[in-house]
Amino acid sequence: TLVRPSVPSPAKLVARDALEATARELALSATSVEDLARTFAAFDGCDLKVTAKNFVFADGNPNARLMFIGEAPGAEEDRQGLPFVGPAGRLLDLMLAAIGLDRSEVYITNILPWRPPGNRNPTDTEITACLPFIERHIELVRPQILIPVGGTAAKALLNTREGIVKLRGRWMTYATPRMDVVPTRAIFHPAYLLRSPAQKRDTWRDLVAIRRRLDEDGNAAT
Ligand code: URA
């Protein structure tokens, strides 16, 4: 018989559904960002918690109009307990500065709050377990514009198998049963831009489009 190891067994799929249901119930019980941080930190359904040093929840201003969602903490983020504080974070700060923003004017989080060992890619199971918390996080922040940072975040949030090359460069939408449509613009991950600087040109176009949309939609809040 042919066994394809990349396809989870029915038993694994059932376990994953149960995990997701538990995560969703916990996440939905949170009624504020602080509440969600406590609930998520106490969640034991993601094994990465065992190996990570710190829970990395968010940085910046939860009342901001722009919400950035990256993939997962790296070594420096794990050490400090803050997202995007390593080399990729420094480039993200420069990208923000290019459109006249700094960290106090945006809100930044990740799909996963715990560092995968050795920065390996997160597994589908890890993402499935944490996604209900991210969705709740977005609902509680209710940003005016959502920015998935990199392919992993874009695929998870937009529930697609398309890669970032196809997903960036255009406006998309994100909504949940409890939240109206949020205009969404995926961008290349700064860690990728550090390796492939030629893609900075396209990223600049995305940043300009984001800035323009912010200006069009008014200057309420930050
Ligand atoms: N890469 C990410 O996706 N998130 C971080 O917080 C740091 C690096």
Side-chain angles (χ1 to χ4, degrees):
T1 53
L2 268 175
V3 177
R4 299 174 59 201
S6 62
V7 178
S9 67
K12 268 201 181 146
L13 286 176
V14 169
R16 196 186 286 178
D17 280 355
L19 181 63
E20 190 186 3
T22 306
R24 191 164 303 281
E25 192 177 326
L26 278 173
L28 287 178
S29 73
T31 55
S32 68
V33 169
E34 302 75 45
D35 200 12
L36 183 73
R38 275 190 299 273
T39 311
F40 200 0
F43 175 59
D44 284 324
C46 180
D47 286 345
L48 296 175
K49 186 179 181 178
V50 178
T51 46
K53 285 196 191 76
N54 270 305
F55 172 69
V56 179
F57 185 65
D59 194 19
N61 181 352
N63 299 311
R65 300 158 69 199
L66 272 184
M67 183 171 185
F68 290 80
I69 305 190
E71 178 174 326
E76 194 54 34
E77 289 78 17
D78 187 37
R79 243 189 310 275
Q80 294 190 35
L82 286 170
F84 282 102
V85 289
R90 281 191 284 283
L91 180 53
L92 182 63
D93 284 338
L94 291 175
M95 290 158 66
L96 292 175
I99 52 170
L101 296 169
D102 66 29
R103 243 168 226 251
S104 70
E105 298 169 297
V106 301
Y107 192 60
I108 303 176
T109 183
N110 283 306
I111 295 286
L112 295 171
W114 296 288
R115 181 193 183 200
N119 296 349
R120 66 158 169 75
N121 290 332
T123 65
D124 285 350
T125 303
E126 287 157 1
I127 292 176
T128 301
C130 294
L131 207 52
F133 293 95
I134 308 311
E135 288 176 9
R136 188 66 181 150
H137 207 164
I138 299 168
E139 287 172 5
L140 292 169
V141 171
R142 271 188 185 264
Q144 219 164 303
I145 298 177
L146 186 66
I147 318 281
V149 180
T152 302
K155 282 184 209 172
L157 291 170
L158 299 163
N159 192 23
T160 173
R161 299 177 81 104
E162 287 219 89
I164 186 68
V165 170
K166 288 266 175 64
L167 296 172
R168 63 149 295 280
R170 58 192 164 110
W171 287 101
M172 288 171 292
T173 56
Y174 179 84
T176 76
R178 292 156 299 277
M179 185 187 69
D180 281 350
V181 162
V182 177
T184 299
R185 184 100 182 192
I187 60 173
F188 282 132
H189 198 290
Y192 170 68
L193 296 176
L194 288 172
R195 299 190 300 271
S196 305
Q199 310 300 325
K200 285 184 181 175
R201 200 183 157 85
D202 279 341
T203 304
W204 170 247
R205 294 203 178 96
D206 287 325
L207 293 171
V208 168
I210 291 162
R211 179 73 248 181
R212 194 173 303 138
R213 183 121 192 186
L214 268 184
D215 293 340
E216 281 167 9
D217 293 351
N219 278 307
T222 49

